[in-house]
Amino acid sequence: LEMDFTTPRELPAGSWRVRFVADTAGSCKLVELGSTDAQRYPEGPGKMRFHRDSLDVMHLQRAILCNVGLMTATLLDGDDEVLEVPMVVHVTPDSAGKLFRSIYNPLE
């Protein structure tokens, strides 16, 4: 996940927390995907990059995964939330059963 952003003020301990929420009629599962290292973001334009090679989701039922969910990227300054970017995610299996996710750009 890569994103350009603009901060309204300097963030001395800025970081991004990324989560996935699988919400079905019967339950809501929150999966912590990780976070970026804290760094100083000056006021104005910035760029974030978050990457995971793989993700262990064996604890989630396949029916929950093969659904529409929400991925959130939250900009933090220390423990304070500055801004959250929600992205709709659709997970589908290919012909071999391997899961692929499509992330819909919230700005388009």
Side-chain angles (χ1 to χ4, degrees):
L1 175 65
E2 291 186 23
M3 209 171 0
D4 294 322
F5 62 95
T6 302
T7 61
R9 60 181 170 81
E10 177 183 2
L11 305 176
S15 66
W16 287 86
R17 178 182 64 214
V18 183
R19 294 176 167 169
F20 176 73
V21 180
D23 195 3
T24 64
S27 68
C28 180
K29 303 291 184 185
L30 175 67
V31 180
E32 295 283 346
L33 300 178
S35 60
T36 64
D37 292 332
Q39 63 178 327
R40 179 188 162 275
Y41 287 118
E43 178 182 344
K47 186 173 189 87
M48 72 84 76
R49 182 174 189 278
F50 175 81
H51 174 78
R52 293 279 309 256
D53 287 330
S54 64
L55 179 63
D56 181 13
V57 291
M58 297 302 291
H59 63 287
L60 296 176
Q61 296 174 5
R62 191 171 180 87
I64 290 174
L65 286 176
C66 294
N67 206 333
V68 175
L70 186 69
M71 186 168 73
T72 60
T74 305
L75 176 60
L76 304 167
D77 186 21
D79 292 330
D80 298 329
E81 290 188 9
V82 177
L83 126 85
E84 183 174 83
V85 180
M87 293 158 273
V88 174
V89 176
H90 190 198
V91 179
T92 54
D94 67 6
S95 59
K98 186 174 181 182
L99 298 178
F100 287 90
R101 78 177 167 269
S102 299
I103 302 172
Y104 297 95
N105 185 340
L107 304 176
E108 290 182 350

